[in-house]
Amino acid sequence: MKIPQITPFIFFTGKGGVGKTSLACATAVKLADEGKSVLLISTDPASNLKEVLETEITEKITPVNGIENFHAVNIDPELSAEAYRNRVVSPLQDILPAHEIEKIREELSGACTTEIAAFDEFARYVAGDEDENKPYDVIIFDTAPTGHTLRLLELPAAWSDFIETNPDGASCIGPSSALKTSQERYKKVVERLQDKGSTTIYLVSRPDGSALREANRSGIELDEMGLSNQVLLINGYFEPIDSADIFAAKIKEKADETIRQMPERLGKLERMVFPLRPYNLLGLDRLRTVFEPLDKEEIIRNSSLIQAKEHKSELPDLDALVDDLCSKQDHGLVMTMGKGGVGKTTVAAAIAFKLAERGYPVHLTTTDPAAHLLDHIGDLSIPESMSVDRIDPDKEKQDYIEKVLAQRGKNKSTEELKLLREDLESPCTEEVAVFQAFSKAIHQAKRKFVVIDTAPTGHTLLLLDTTGSYHKEVLRNTRMDADRLKTPYMYLQDPDFAKLLIVALPETTPITEAAKLQKDLRRSNIEPYAWVANQSMSASDVSDPLLRQRAAEEIPLLDEIVSKHARKVYTVPWITEELVLRHIISHEAELS
């Protein structure tokens, strides 16, 4: 199998969990094996290059173990933001008092600062910096989940406009002089991204409806931004080996139907299909198999050695989880958290439906900018006791702006109102507005169950960081007795009120990322209630040799979660995503 298009810059983008990192790494390995010098860059806040390449990848360009002309680097958003903050405050150290410096640092602690700092690093590689960059034949970007990526790629125009209209800088990003990247370099970045001879966009998807819809959405938005040289990669397509396995046949049947019904625009793109393999793609040897056909004879031989107990899980299911959630109370906050693509939205929706079916009032919402709850719910009938909405960042921002204008705009001139509105268009406003909506959802949980599907890990931690900052600000400024005050941050720390569920796939990298998330939560005195191992093949009935091997590979990983990480663990069986919610709710034993 050949790589369809090789340009100096290659982007892998798509919904979280579709295999962007695996395919980006496999492509880099193949090109390096063919003699090209390759640099692989991750802009994903939840990057897992270390596990896939089995090399310690940092924010500095590092040679990949085992391949001489292959290097990788991870743009760490937090490290970039800290370096950016230091550039902002260092010229002011001898001018302002310490408390003013600390105030500026606090103002630069938001999500927009992190994003502009990460982009500043990202742009350096695209524009080229003769003093810092080695020459590479190909630079491959393993990008973050779609919503984050689109915002990242939109930044050149957005920030150059913002800087032009705010020449003295802005509170959320500090003085514009702190940027290493000039506006001229921004322009060069945009030109290279839009040049078909320079840049190729690989839209990565699984053969399921929501991933293909996400690929189509991002493809359209990228096309509108001038990034029109696109190729569709369908990853994890399953071909049954055992024709008698009804479960396996249903998986293929559903995948084929989904591909046939993919959006018309995607169907017209050049396409590559990568088969589902019996193992996770970790290490160079396994990455090299990505462009090779499956060895079915070897799969059958290996499967014959697997005993039944080696591929069957006996952990409790989602019904047991819901029973536990409502065993002692009729209200509270339930949050699904984890890396993008692990199925947080589906698990959150299933829990909400199951609670509503038990007669409890339930509100289901999401803070994920890339989530589409209604896509997951489909034509399922929503119970009367259940409400569904989405915390829409754009809408929350506009509502917040209008509210502030109404409060602070009285008796102001037209020019003053114009300046106030321009100030409120700052990227930080969206973060504040989303947080306020998040706080309202938390307070609803005092009288009903509120189930929140959160954003991918990096966004979630930024949200919780904002929650913590808000908590400190309230305590500092309130006249209330601190013992009587309970902020959203304190609610998250209350295990009787908030049940945080970490959702992970039973695979090495998602488990590693989930463990990192849990560590970060514990540092904030937030203890997760349980882990949910989603899309578990070992919780399903399978006989196909390839599926049996995937199930067998899960067992030691599930044992690791139980022994090292989680107080409680629940499993959800592997089901094609289009049917998973209906299947979970109705307890049907088949996929049709």
Side-chain angles (χ1 to χ4, degrees), residues 162-235:
F162 195 76
I163 290 169
E164 281 177 11
T165 55
N166 294 268
D168 297 324
S171 61
C172 67
I173 63 169
S176 58
S177 59
L179 292 174
K180 288 187 292 185
T181 306
S182 66
Q183 290 186 48
E184 188 59 37
R185 180 177 286 173
Y186 279 4
K187 184 179 178 183
K188 185 187 291 187
V189 169
V190 174
E191 288 173 351
R192 289 192 174 175
L193 293 178
Q194 293 175 338
D195 178 13
K196 291 185 178 182
S198 297
T199 300
T200 303
I201 307 293
Y202 288 151
L203 302 174
V204 185
S205 176
R206 294 280 185 180
D208 65 62
S210 63
L212 284 166
R213 285 191 293 271
E214 190 65 48
N216 189 52
R217 272 189 285 264
S218 60
I220 291 171
E221 290 186 58
L222 289 165
D223 195 29
E224 289 172 350
M225 291 159 56
L227 284 73
S228 56
N229 188 25
Q230 301 176 8
V231 178
L232 175 63
L233 307 184
I234 297 179
N235 188 34

Coordinates of all heavy atoms in Angstrom, one line a residue, residues 162-235:
F162 N -6.6 40.8 15.6 CA -6.7 41.2 17.0 C -5.5 42.2 17.4 O -5.7 43.2 18.0 CB -6.7 40.0 17.9 CG -7.1 40.3 19.3 CD1 -8.5 40.6 19.6 CD2 -6.2 40.4 20.4 CE1 -8.9 40.8 20.9 CE2 -6.7 40.7 21.6 CZ -8.0 40.9 21.9
I163 N -4.3 41.8 16.9 CA -3.1 42.6 17.3 C -3.1 43.9 16.5 O -2.8 45.0 17.1 CB -1.8 41.8 16.9 CG1 -1.7 40.6 17.9 CG2 -0.6 42.7 17.0 CD1 -0.6 39.7 17.5
E164 N -3.6 43.9 15.3 CA -3.7 45.2 14.5 C -4.7 46.2 15.2 O -4.4 47.4 15.2 CB -4.2 44.9 13.1 CG -3.1 44.4 12.2 CD -3.6 44.0 10.8 OE1 -4.8 44.4 10.5 OE2 -2.9 43.4 10.0
T165 N -5.8 45.6 15.8 CA -6.8 46.5 16.4 C -6.4 46.8 17.9 O -7.1 47.6 18.5 CB -8.2 45.9 16.3 OG1 -8.2 44.6 16.9 CG2 -8.6 45.9 14.9
N166 N -5.4 46.1 18.4 CA -5.0 46.3 19.8 C -3.5 46.4 19.8 O -2.8 45.6 20.3 CB -5.4 45.2 20.7 CG -6.9 45.1 20.8 OD1 -7.5 45.6 21.7 ND2 -7.6 44.4 19.8
P167 N -2.9 47.5 19.2 CA -1.5 47.6 19.1 C -0.7 47.6 20.4 O 0.5 47.3 20.5 CB -1.3 48.9 18.3 CG -2.5 49.7 18.6 CD -3.6 48.7 18.7
D168 N -1.4 48.0 21.5 CA -0.7 48.1 22.8 C -0.9 46.8 23.5 O -0.5 46.7 24.7 CB -1.3 49.2 23.6 CG -1.0 50.6 23.0 OD1 0.1 50.7 22.4 OD2 -1.9 51.4 23.1
G169 N -1.5 45.8 22.9 CA -1.6 44.5 23.5 C -3.0 44.3 24.1 O -3.8 45.2 24.1
A170 N -3.3 43.2 24.7 CA -4.6 42.9 25.3 C -4.3 42.1 26.6 O -3.4 41.4 26.7 CB -5.5 42.1 24.4
S171 N -5.3 42.3 27.6 CA -5.0 41.6 28.9 C -4.9 40.1 28.8 O -4.2 39.5 29.6 CB -6.2 42.0 29.8 OG -7.4 41.6 29.3
C172 N -5.6 39.5 27.8 CA -5.6 38.0 27.8 C -4.4 37.4 27.2 O -4.0 36.3 27.5 CB -6.9 37.5 27.1 SG -6.9 37.8 25.4
I173 N -3.6 38.2 26.4 CA -2.4 37.6 25.8 C -1.2 38.4 26.1 O -0.1 38.1 25.8 CB -2.5 37.5 24.3 CG1 -2.7 38.9 23.6 CG2 -3.6 36.6 23.9 CD1 -2.5 38.8 22.1
G174 N -1.4 39.5 26.9 CA -0.2 40.4 27.2 C 0.2 41.2 26.0 O -0.5 41.2 25.0
P175 N 1.3 42.0 26.1 CA 1.7 42.8 25.0 C 2.0 42.0 23.8 O 2.6 40.9 23.9 CB 3.0 43.5 25.6 CG 2.9 43.3 27.1 CD 2.1 42.1 27.3
S176 N 1.5 42.5 22.6 CA 1.7 41.7 21.4 C 3.2 41.6 21.1 O 3.6 40.7 20.3 CB 1.0 42.4 20.2 OG 1.5 43.7 20.1
S177 N 4.1 42.4 21.6 CA 5.5 42.3 21.4 C 6.1 41.0 22.0 O 7.2 40.6 21.7 CB 6.2 43.5 22.0 OG 6.0 43.6 23.4
A178 N 5.3 40.3 22.9 CA 5.8 39.1 23.5 C 5.8 37.9 22.5 O 6.4 36.9 22.7 CB 4.9 38.7 24.7
L179 N 5.1 38.1 21.4 CA 5.0 37.0 20.4 C 6.3 36.9 19.7 O 6.8 37.9 19.1 CB 3.9 37.2 19.4 CG 2.5 37.1 20.0 CD1 1.5 37.5 18.9 CD2 2.2 35.7 20.4
K180 N 6.9 35.7 19.6 CA 8.1 35.5 18.8 C 7.7 35.5 17.3 O 8.5 35.8 16.4 CB 8.7 34.1 19.1 CG 9.3 34.0 20.4 CD 10.0 32.7 20.6 CE 9.1 31.5 20.7 NZ 9.7 30.3 21.0
T181 N 6.5 35.2 17.0 CA 6.0 35.1 15.6 C 5.5 36.4 15.1 O 4.6 37.0 15.7 CB 4.9 34.0 15.5 OG1 5.4 32.8 16.0 CG2 4.5 33.8 14.0
S182 N 6.1 36.9 14.0 CA 5.7 38.2 13.5 C 4.5 38.0 12.6 O 4.1 36.9 12.2 CB 6.8 38.8 12.6 OG 7.0 38.0 11.5
Q183 N 3.8 39.1 12.3 CA 2.6 39.0 11.4 C 3.0 38.5 10.0 O 2.3 37.9 9.3 CB 1.9 40.4 11.3 CG 1.2 40.8 12.6 CD 0.4 42.0 12.5 OE1 -0.4 42.2 11.5 NE2 0.6 43.0 13.4
E184 N 4.2 38.9 9.6 CA 4.7 38.4 8.3 C 4.9 36.9 8.3 O 4.5 36.2 7.3 CB 6.1 39.1 8.0 CG 6.6 38.8 6.6 CD 5.6 39.3 5.5 OE1 5.0 40.4 5.7 OE2 5.5 38.7 4.5
R185 N 5.3 36.4 9.4 CA 5.4 34.9 9.5 C 4.0 34.3 9.5 O 3.8 33.2 8.9 CB 6.2 34.5 10.8 CG 6.3 33.0 10.9 CD 7.1 32.6 12.1 NE 8.5 32.9 11.9 CZ 9.5 32.7 12.8 NH1 9.1 32.4 14.0 NH2 10.7 33.0 12.6
Y186 N 3.0 34.9 10.2 CA 1.7 34.4 10.1 C 1.2 34.3 8.7 O 0.6 33.3 8.3 CB 0.7 35.4 10.9 CG 0.7 35.2 12.3 CD1 1.6 34.3 13.0 CD2 -0.2 36.0 13.1 CE1 1.5 34.2 14.4 CE2 -0.2 35.9 14.5 CZ 0.6 35.0 15.1 OH 0.6 34.9 16.5
K187 N 1.5 35.3 7.9 CA 1.1 35.3 6.5 C 1.7 34.2 5.7 O 1.1 33.5 4.9 CB 1.5 36.7 5.9 CG 1.0 36.8 4.4 CD 1.4 38.2 3.9 CE 1.0 38.4 2.5 NZ 1.4 39.7 1.9
K188 N 3.0 33.9 6.0 CA 3.7 32.8 5.3 C 3.1 31.5 5.7 O 3.0 30.6 4.9 CB 5.2 32.9 5.7 CG 6.0 31.8 4.9 CD 7.5 31.7 5.4 CE 8.2 33.0 5.1 NZ 9.7 32.8 5.4
V189 N 2.7 31.3 7.0 CA 2.1 30.1 7.5 C 0.8 29.8 6.7 O 0.6 28.7 6.2 CB 1.8 30.1 9.0 CG1 0.9 29.0 9.4 CG2 3.1 30.1 9.8
V190 N 0.0 30.8 6.6 CA -1.3 30.6 5.9 C -1.1 30.3 4.4 O -1.7 29.4 3.9 CB -2.1 31.9 6.0 CG1 -3.4 31.8 5.1 CG2 -2.5 32.2 7.4
E191 N -0.1 31.0 3.8 CA 0.1 30.7 2.4 C 0.6 29.2 2.2 O 0.2 28.6 1.2 CB 1.2 31.7 1.8 CG 0.7 33.1 1.7 CD 1.8 34.1 1.3 OE1 3.0 33.7 1.4 OE2 1.5 35.2 1.0
R192 N 1.5 28.7 3.0 CA 1.9 27.4 2.9 C 0.9 26.3 3.2 O 0.8 25.3 2.5 CB 3.1 27.1 3.8 CG 4.4 27.9 3.4 CD 5.6 27.5 4.1 NE 6.8 28.1 3.5 CZ 8.0 28.0 4.0 NH1 8.3 27.3 5.1 NH2 9.0 28.6 3.4
L193 N 0.0 26.6 4.1 CA -1.1 25.7 4.4 C -2.1 25.6 3.2 O -2.7 24.6 3.0 CB -1.8 26.1 5.7 CG -1.1 26.0 7.0 CD1 -1.9 26.6 8.1 CD2 -0.6 24.6 7.3
Q194 N -2.2 26.7 2.5 CA -3.2 26.8 1.4 C -2.6 26.3 0.1 O -3.4 26.1 -0.9 CB -3.7 28.2 1.3 CG -4.6 28.7 2.5 CD -5.0 30.1 2.4 OE1 -4.3 30.9 1.7 NE2 -6.0 30.5 3.1
D195 N -1.3 26.1 0.0 CA -0.6 25.7 -1.2 C -0.7 24.2 -1.3 O -0.2 23.4 -0.5 CB 0.8 26.1 -1.2 CG 1.6 25.7 -2.4 OD1 0.9 25.2 -3.4 OD2 2.8 25.7 -2.4
K196 N -1.4 23.7 -2.4 CA -1.6 22.2 -2.6 C -0.3 21.5 -2.8 O -0.2 20.3 -2.5 CB -2.5 22.0 -3.8 CG -4.0 22.4 -3.5 CD -4.9 22.0 -4.7 CE -6.3 22.4 -4.4 NZ -7.2 22.0 -5.5
G197 N 0.7 22.2 -3.3 CA 2.0 21.6 -3.5 C 2.8 21.5 -2.2 O 3.8 20.7 -2.2
S198 N 2.4 22.2 -1.2 CA 3.1 22.2 0.1 C 2.4 21.4 1.2 O 3.1 20.8 2.0 CB 3.3 23.7 0.6 OG 4.1 24.4 -0.3
T199 N 1.1 21.4 1.2 CA 0.3 20.8 2.3 C -0.7 19.8 1.9 O -1.5 20.1 1.0 CB -0.3 21.9 3.1 OG1 0.7 22.8 3.6 CG2 -1.1 21.4 4.3
T200 N -0.8 18.7 2.6 CA -1.8 17.7 2.4 C -2.5 17.5 3.7 O -1.9 17.4 4.8 CB -1.3 16.3 1.9 OG1 -0.5 16.5 0.7 CG2 -2.4 15.3 1.7
I201 N -3.9 17.5 3.7 CA -4.7 17.2 4.9 C -5.2 15.8 4.8 O -6.0 15.4 3.8 CB -5.8 18.2 5.0 CG1 -5.4 19.6 4.9 CG2 -6.6 17.9 6.3 CD1 -4.5 20.1 6.1
Y202 N -4.9 14.9 5.7 CA -5.4 13.6 5.8 C -6.6 13.6 6.8 O -6.4 13.9 8.0 CB -4.4 12.6 6.3 CG -3.4 12.2 5.2 CD1 -2.1 11.8 5.6 CD2 -3.7 12.2 3.9 CE1 -1.1 11.4 4.7 CE2 -2.7 11.9 3.0 CZ -1.4 11.5 3.4 OH -0.5 11.2 2.4
L203 N -7.8 13.4 6.3 CA -9.0 13.4 7.2 C -9.1 11.9 7.7 O -9.4 11.0 6.9 CB -10.2 13.8 6.4 CG -10.2 15.2 5.8 CD1 -11.5 15.4 5.0 CD2 -10.1 16.3 6.9
V204 N -8.9 11.7 8.9 CA -8.9 10.3 9.5 C -10.2 10.0 10.1 O -10.8 10.8 10.9 CB -7.8 10.1 10.5 CG1 -7.7 8.7 10.9 CG2 -6.4 10.6 9.9
S205 N -10.8 8.8 9.8 CA -12.0 8.4 10.4 C -12.1 6.9 10.6 O -11.3 6.2 10.0 CB -13.2 8.8 9.4 OG -14.4 8.3 9.9
R206 N -12.9 6.5 11.5 CA -13.3 5.1 11.7 C -14.4 4.8 10.7 O -15.1 5.8 10.3 CB -13.7 4.8 13.1 CG -12.5 4.9 14.1 CD -11.7 3.7 14.1 NE -10.7 3.7 15.2 CZ -9.8 2.8 15.4 NH1 -9.7 1.7 14.6 NH2 -8.9 2.9 16.4
P207 N -14.8 3.6 10.4 CA -15.9 3.3 9.6 C -17.2 3.4 10.4 O -18.0 2.4 10.5 CB -15.7 1.9 9.0 CG -14.8 1.3 10.0 CD -14.0 2.3 10.6
D208 N -17.5 4.5 11.1 CA -18.7 4.7 11.8 C -19.2 6.1 11.5 O -18.5 7.0 11.1 CB -18.6 4.4 13.3 CG -17.7 5.4 14.0 OD1 -18.0 6.6 14.0 OD2 -16.7 4.9 14.6
G209 N -20.5 6.3 11.7 CA -21.2 7.5 11.2 C -20.7 8.8 11.8 O -20.5 9.8 11.2
S210 N -20.5 8.8 13.2 CA -20.2 10.0 13.8 C -18.8 10.5 13.4 O -18.5 11.7 13.3 CB -20.3 9.9 15.4 OG -19.4 8.9 15.9
A211 N -17.8 9.5 13.3 CA -16.5 9.9 12.9 C -16.4 10.4 11.5 O -15.7 11.4 11.2 CB -15.5 8.7 13.0
L212 N -17.2 9.8 10.6 CA -17.3 10.3 9.2 C -17.9 11.6 9.1 O -17.5 12.5 8.3 CB -18.0 9.3 8.3 CG -17.2 8.0 8.0 CD1 -18.2 6.9 7.4 CD2 -16.1 8.3 7.0
R213 N -19.0 11.9 9.9 CA -19.6 13.2 9.9 C -18.6 14.2 10.4 O -18.6 15.4 9.9 CB -20.9 13.2 10.8 CG -22.0 12.5 10.2 CD -23.3 12.7 11.0 NE -23.3 12.1 12.3 CZ -23.7 10.8 12.6 NH1 -24.1 10.1 11.6 NH2 -23.6 10.4 13.8
E214 N -17.8 13.9 11.5 CA -16.8 14.8 12.0 C -15.8 15.1 10.9 O -15.3 16.3 10.8 CB -16.2 14.2 13.2 CG -15.3 15.2 14.0 CD -16.1 16.4 14.6 OE1 -17.2 16.2 15.2 OE2 -15.7 17.5 14.3
A215 N -15.3 14.1 10.2 CA -14.3 14.3 9.2 C -14.9 15.2 8.1 O -14.2 16.0 7.5 CB -13.9 12.9 8.6
N216 N -16.2 15.0 7.7 CA -16.8 15.8 6.7 C -16.9 17.3 7.2 O -16.6 18.2 6.4 CB -18.2 15.3 6.4 CG -18.8 16.0 5.2 OD1 -18.2 16.0 4.1 ND2 -20.0 16.5 5.3
R217 N -17.3 17.5 8.4 CA -17.4 18.8 9.0 C -16.0 19.5 9.0 O -15.9 20.7 8.5 CB -17.9 18.8 10.4 CG -19.4 18.8 10.5 CD -19.9 19.0 12.0 NE -19.7 17.8 12.8 CZ -20.7 16.9 13.0 NH1 -21.9 17.1 12.5 NH2 -20.4 15.8 13.7
S218 N -15.0 18.8 9.4 CA -13.7 19.5 9.5 C -13.2 19.7 8.1 O -12.5 20.7 7.8 CB -12.7 18.6 10.3 OG -12.6 17.3 9.7
G219 N -13.5 18.7 7.1 CA -13.0 18.9 5.7 C -13.6 20.1 5.1 O -13.0 20.9 4.4
I220 N -14.9 20.4 5.4 CA -15.6 21.5 4.8 C -15.0 22.8 5.4 O -14.7 23.8 4.7 CB -17.1 21.5 5.1 CG1 -17.8 20.3 4.3 CG2 -17.8 22.8 4.8 CD1 -19.2 20.1 4.7
E221 N -14.8 22.8 6.7 CA -14.3 24.1 7.4 C -12.9 24.3 6.9 O -12.5 25.5 6.7 CB -14.4 23.9 8.9 CG -15.8 23.9 9.4 CD -15.8 23.9 10.9 OE1 -15.3 24.8 11.5 OE2 -16.5 23.0 11.5
L222 N -12.1 23.3 6.8 CA -10.7 23.5 6.3 C -10.7 24.0 4.8 O -9.9 24.8 4.5 CB -9.9 22.2 6.4 CG -9.5 21.7 7.8 CD1 -9.1 20.3 7.8 CD2 -8.4 22.6 8.4
D223 N -11.6 23.4 4.0 CA -11.7 23.8 2.6 C -12.1 25.3 2.6 O -11.5 26.1 1.7 CB -12.8 23.0 1.9 CG -12.7 23.1 0.4 OD1 -11.6 23.3 -0.1 OD2 -13.8 23.0 -0.2
E224 N -13.0 25.8 3.4 CA -13.4 27.2 3.5 C -12.2 28.1 3.9 O -12.1 29.2 3.5 CB -14.5 27.4 4.4 CG -15.8 26.8 3.9 CD -16.9 26.8 5.0 OE1 -16.6 27.1 6.2 OE2 -18.1 26.5 4.6
M225 N -11.2 27.5 4.6 CA -10.1 28.2 5.0 C -8.9 28.1 4.0 O -7.8 28.6 4.2 CB -9.5 27.7 6.4 CG -10.5 28.0 7.5 SD -10.3 26.9 8.9 CE -8.5 27.2 9.3
G226 N -9.2 27.5 2.9 CA -8.3 27.4 1.8 C -7.4 26.1 1.8 O -6.5 26.0 1.0
L227 N -7.6 25.2 2.8 CA -6.8 24.0 2.9 C -7.6 22.9 2.2 O -8.3 22.1 2.8 CB -6.6 23.6 4.4 CG -5.5 24.4 5.1 CD1 -6.0 25.9 5.4 CD2 -5.1 23.8 6.4
S228 N -7.5 22.8 0.9 CA -8.4 22.0 0.1 C -7.8 20.7 -0.4 O -8.5 19.9 -1.0 CB -9.0 22.8 -1.1 OG -7.9 23.3 -1.8
N229 N -6.5 20.5 -0.2 CA -5.8 19.3 -0.7 C -6.0 18.2 0.4 O -5.2 18.0 1.2 CB -4.3 19.6 -0.9 CG -3.6 18.4 -1.6 OD1 -4.3 17.6 -2.3 ND2 -2.3 18.3 -1.4
Q230 N -7.1 17.5 0.2 CA -7.5 16.5 1.3 C -7.6 15.1 0.8 O -8.0 14.8 -0.4 CB -8.9 17.0 1.8 CG -8.9 18.4 2.4 CD -10.3 18.8 2.9 OE1 -11.2 18.0 2.9 NE2 -10.4 20.1 3.3
V231 N -7.3 14.2 1.7 CA -7.4 12.7 1.4 C -8.1 12.1 2.6 O -7.8 12.4 3.7 CB -6.0 12.1 1.2 CG1 -6.1 10.6 1.0 CG2 -5.2 12.7 0.1
L232 N -9.0 11.2 2.3 CA -9.8 10.5 3.4 C -9.1 9.2 3.7 O -8.8 8.3 2.9 CB -11.2 10.2 2.9 CG -12.1 9.4 3.9 CD1 -12.3 10.1 5.2 CD2 -13.4 9.0 3.3
L233 N -8.8 9.0 5.0 CA -8.2 7.7 5.5 C -9.2 7.0 6.4 O -9.6 7.6 7.4 CB -6.9 8.0 6.3 CG -5.8 8.8 5.6 CD1 -4.6 8.8 6.5 CD2 -5.5 8.2 4.3
I234 N -9.7 5.8 6.1 CA -10.6 5.1 6.9 C -9.8 4.0 7.7 O -9.3 3.1 7.0 CB -11.8 4.5 6.1 CG1 -12.6 5.6 5.4 CG2 -12.6 3.6 7.0 CD1 -13.7 5.0 4.5
N235 N -9.8 4.2 9.0 CA -8.9 3.3 9.8 C -9.8 2.3 10.6 O -10.9 2.6 11.0 CB -8.2 4.2 10.8 CG -7.1 3.5 11.5 OD1 -6.5 2.5 11.0 ND2 -6.9 3.8 12.8

